[in-house]
Amino acid sequence: MMNDTLTSDVIGRRVEVNGEHATVRFSGVVPPMAGLWLGVEWDNPERGKHDGSHEGTVYFKCRHPTGGSFIRPNKVNFGVDFLTAIKNRYTLEDEPEEEGKEQIVTIGNKPVETIGFDSVVKQQSQLSKLQEVSLRNCAVNGPGDKGGIAKACPNVRSIDLSKNLLSSWDEVVDIADQLKHLEVLNLSENKLKFPSGSPPPTGTFSALKVLVLNRIGITWTEVLHCASRCPVLEKLYLESNGIVISERPTDVLQTVKLLDLSSNQLIDENQLFLIAYMPRLEQLILSDIGLASIHFPDAGIGCKTSMFPSLQYLVLNDNRISQWSSINELDKLQSLHALSCTRNPLTESSKDAQTTRQFIIARIGQLRTLNKCAIQREERRGAELDYRKAFGNEWKKAGGHQDPDKNRPNEEFLAAHPRYQSLCLKYGAPEDGELKVQQPFLLKNQLLTLKIKHPNQLDQKVIEKQLPESMTIQKVKGLLSRLLRVPVSELLLSYESPKMPGREIELENDQQSLQFYSVENGDCLLVRW
């Protein structure tokens, strides 16, 4: 390895060349070529030509065999300081003042025509009043003159510094230390060098609530180090960093309510146990981490886990979950109300997405939202009744019985269907008639014979009708409207079942079918107007 022969203060600096970002690894001469050269390692290794060697001599090293290049210094953009960038982005170019005259306002380097001075634009032009700043991809390389930021724009509360030329966490600290009201900071897509020594001074991030560190190559140890000076941090985004959760956060991340670990493919189920006792964690995003299973070993069948005590919303999209046992485990979470679980083998392999949705709802009793779609009361009831019916024969074979004194399904069934017994208590055990094997699909096999009563019209006779189980409530109302000569808008429908004497179920959603509400042969429709 050659020693640097010229100025070495550029080593480690982040640079931009024709839109591509790189890190300077070498500064010096490269014989037999004359003059000064910079050796850079590209963020995109396909941009380079070699590994830092030339004609057998190693000038610097790269992580990728084609990650390096030699470039003349005059081709490289070392960026600008924070203050210069903010002045470049938030400026006004006034034409001669004249009432009603059009003026060109530059916001984000885009000229916008306005008539006169708009008060919002005027406020943004005055740096001292700026509260939200976006400097994404503006080649920011550091804070600039000491104290300059605090003097020029002291009221900034939110900064997007993603995809810039910051090279170290210390530069971030120097910027943030001058912004006492900073609440939101986005540093995504910066290649930062993190200190191994003591954390930044207390007070640097005293107001910070949201920290975005996506795609910056940070380790879990560095996350804990940086977050240790964020006493009120609520949201932490760590997408695509190759993170391995190596230790339990102690006296750090205790205020975090949202944690995004998406696309960190090295995280496994056991590592999640290390973050399971963050006391205020309400939202956990685990999309695309390669997760194949979930298990809470501290809780038995029908019990709640002590892990993730405050977790309300869990995102498991784009993983490798293929077994229903993982869905059963989620019912052990004390506070879980919302789940997103799309594009997993379990949800993609089934041809019937609606049935899969119903089974997830039935297996997680406290769930209120699934895949961003609210679970209405009637949907939960239908899902639980269908689930109870679908696995009724399996329940009987395992030792289940309508007589509570004889109802002793084996451990294998209870492990596969932890909520089944509670559903039998809720709706009653499935009757033998419900559990007959379905006949081949013919229209006559799908017709329901129903009685139709009119509780408020005693002079109306009880009639009997055969209706398809797929018929929507709206169409049933249309049929009854013609039959009774009553406007559809005035009809209210409900039904009774001999299996649930004394209970009346409202048919509230016109778009749902009779089958959705688990209406069966022999049930009685009640019509009021």
Side-chain angles (χ1 to χ4, degrees):
M1 175 76 74
M2 280 189 62
N3 291 324
D4 298 343
T5 56
L6 294 178
T7 308
S8 60
D9 61 352
V10 297
I11 304 302
R13 290 278 299 275
R14 297 281 293 157
V15 294
E16 181 262 329
V17 183
N18 296 327
E20 297 274 0
H21 287 194
T23 303
V24 178
R25 302 295 186 198
F26 167 81
S27 173
V29 294
V30 184
M33 299 179 289
L36 178 66
W37 291 89
L38 296 178
V40 301
E41 181 179 8
W42 299 100
D43 292 0
N44 174 15
E46 296 179 2
R47 174 68 173 79
K49 297 180 179 179
H50 52 71
D51 62 357
S53 304
H54 180 67
E55 294 186 356
T57 300
V58 178
Y59 292 89
F60 62 98
K61 291 184 178 179
C62 293
R63 287 166 294 182
H64 193 278
T66 61
S69 293
F70 290 108
I71 299 178
R72 294 294 189 184
N74 62 355
K75 301 291 186 183
V76 171
N77 176 16
F78 281 92
V80 297
D81 63 59
F82 181 92
L83 267 183
T84 301
I86 206 171
K87 288 175 181 176
N88 288 343
R89 193 167 182 88
Y90 295 93
T91 59
L92 283 176
E93 296 175 6
D94 301 343
E95 291 187 0
E97 291 194 21
E98 188 176 320
E99 189 173 350
K101 178 75 175 179
E102 287 190 353
Q103 297 176 330
I104 304 299
V105 179
T106 304
I107 300 178
N109 294 329
K110 293 183 178 179
V112 180
E113 288 188 357
T114 66
I115 303 297
F117 277 109
D118 181 273
S119 61
V120 175
V121 174
K122 186 184 291 187
Q123 178 177 325
Q124 283 211 320
S125 73
Q126 299 170 9
L127 300 187
S128 64
K129 295 182 180 179
L130 276 176
Q131 293 190 17
E132 294 187 14
V133 172
S134 176
L135 296 177
R136 176 175 170 79
N137 204 16
C138 287
V140 176
N141 62 13
D145 294 338
K146 188 173 182 179
I149 297 173
K151 185 178 180 180
C153 45
N155 294 307
V156 170
R157 282 169 165 74
S158 173
I159 303 177
D160 182 354
L161 279 172
S162 58
K163 204 171 185 180
N164 276 287
L165 300 182
L166 298 166
S167 57
S168 76
W169 182 251
D170 290 338
E171 293 168 348
V172 175
V173 170
D174 288 342
I175 293 172
D177 199 34
Q178 301 181 59
L179 299 169
K180 301 304 181 184
H181 303 293
L182 187 62
E183 296 179 358
V184 180
L185 177 59
N186 185 351
L187 296 168
S188 300
E189 299 175 82
N190 285 284
K191 299 291 183 183
L192 300 175
K193 181 180 179 182
F194 291 90
S196 55
S198 59
T202 303
T204 300
F205 298 104
S206 60
L208 194 67
K209 295 181 180 179
V210 181
L211 181 57
V212 187
L213 302 174
N214 297 333
R215 296 177 294 283
I216 67 171
I218 195 171
T219 68
W220 183 248
T221 300
E222 291 165 347
V223 168
L224 300 185
H225 179 87
C226 296
S228 64
R229 287 296 183 265
C230 302
V232 296
L233 188 65
E234 295 182 358
K235 297 181 180 181
L236 179 58
Y237 297 85
L238 299 169
E239 181 183 330
S240 302
N241 281 302
I243 282 175
V244 173
I245 301 175
S246 54
E247 59 183 295
R248 185 171 170 174
T250 305
D251 300 324
V252 64
L253 304 185
Q254 301 302 293
T255 57
V256 169
K257 296 180 180 180
L258 182 152
L259 179 61
D260 184 355
L261 292 168
S262 299
S263 302
N264 287 286
Q265 295 280 338
L266 300 177
I267 293 177
D268 61 27
E269 180 184 6
N270 291 326
Q271 292 176 43
L272 295 179
F273 296 155
L274 293 172
I275 60 170
Y277 296 98
M278 293 170 59
R280 299 187 186 178
L281 186 62
E282 297 176 356
Q283 299 183 52
L284 180 59
I285 305 174
L286 299 174
S287 297
D288 187 34
I289 65 169
L291 192 66
S293 64
I294 298 171
H295 180 51
F296 301 110
D298 67 322
I301 295 172
C303 300
K304 295 296 183 183
T305 177
S306 62
M307 299 183 186
F308 300 103
S310 301
L311 188 63
Q312 297 178 20
Y313 181 33
L314 178 62
V315 181
L316 296 171
N317 300 333
D318 300 292
N319 277 294
R320 296 191 287 114
I321 295 170
S322 59
Q323 301 297 321
W324 283 108
S325 58
S326 292
I327 303 299
N328 292 338
E329 287 292 304
L330 297 180
D331 190 53
K332 295 179 178 180
L333 291 167
Q334 300 174 34
S335 307
L336 187 69
H337 294 151
L339 172 69
S340 287
C341 189
T342 60
R343 297 180 297 276
N344 278 271
L346 182 67
T347 56
E348 295 299 297
S349 59
S350 172
K351 293 180 181 179
D352 189 351
Q354 183 59 30
T355 298
T356 301
R357 178 179 170 86
Q358 285 186 309
F359 284 1
I360 293 175
I361 292 170
R363 288 171 186 265
I364 307 176
Q366 71 275 26
L367 210 59
R368 298 175 191 166
T369 305
L370 178 58
N371 299 330
K372 298 185 178 182
C373 182
I375 301 168
Q376 303 297 334
R377 182 166 56 90
E378 63 268 20
E379 182 181 15
R380 171 161 291 284
R381 182 182 178 280
E384 291 178 341
L385 284 171
D386 284 353
Y387 177 80
R388 166 180 156 277
K389 184 189 299 184
F391 295 97
N393 284 318
E394 192 177 324
W395 168 74
K396 287 193 69 176
K397 290 177 184 177
H401 200 280
Q402 284 90 351
D403 185 344
D405 294 332
K406 299 178 182 178
N407 182 24
R408 296 186 184 88
N410 59 35
E411 290 297 318
E412 184 180 356
F413 179 85
L414 292 176
H417 304 280
R419 291 199 72 230
Y420 198 89
Q421 292 287 75
S422 65
L423 294 179
C424 288
L425 289 173
K426 185 176 181 179
Y427 300 108
E431 301 290 337
D432 291 341
E434 294 180 78
L435 306 180
K436 290 181 180 178
V437 178
Q438 281 194 337
Q439 299 174 357
F441 183 86
L442 296 171
L443 180 60
K444 66 178 182 180
N445 296 331
Q446 308 303 313
L447 290 176
L448 303 174
T449 302
L450 304 174
K451 293 179 180 178
I452 300 175
K453 294 182 181 178
H454 318 85
N456 298 341
Q457 312 290 330
L458 299 179
D459 57 328
Q460 293 277 358
K461 292 182 180 180
V462 176
I463 59 176
E464 198 171 87
K465 281 283 182 182
Q466 284 192 321
L467 302 177
E469 63 180 12
S470 60
M471 193 172 193
T472 64
I473 305 305
Q474 188 174 27
K475 289 184 178 178
V476 174
K477 285 183 175 179
L479 174 68
L480 293 171
S481 173
R482 293 190 293 274
L483 193 68
L484 302 170
R485 302 184 184 225
V486 177
V488 171
S489 59
E490 295 182 16
L491 293 178
L492 298 173
L493 295 189
S494 58
Y495 83 96
E496 295 175 328
S497 171
K499 295 173 184 174
M500 292 182 285
R503 290 191 62 187
E504 185 176 331
I505 311 301
E506 292 184 21
L507 304 178
E508 300 171 321
N509 190 335
D510 286 355
Q511 306 308 312
Q512 297 292 358
S513 65
L514 293 170
Q515 183 183 35
F516 174 84
Y517 285 103
S518 299
V519 178
E520 298 177 345
N521 259 324
D523 288 350
C524 180
L525 286 181
L526 303 175
V527 189
R528 294 181 175 86
W529 64 90

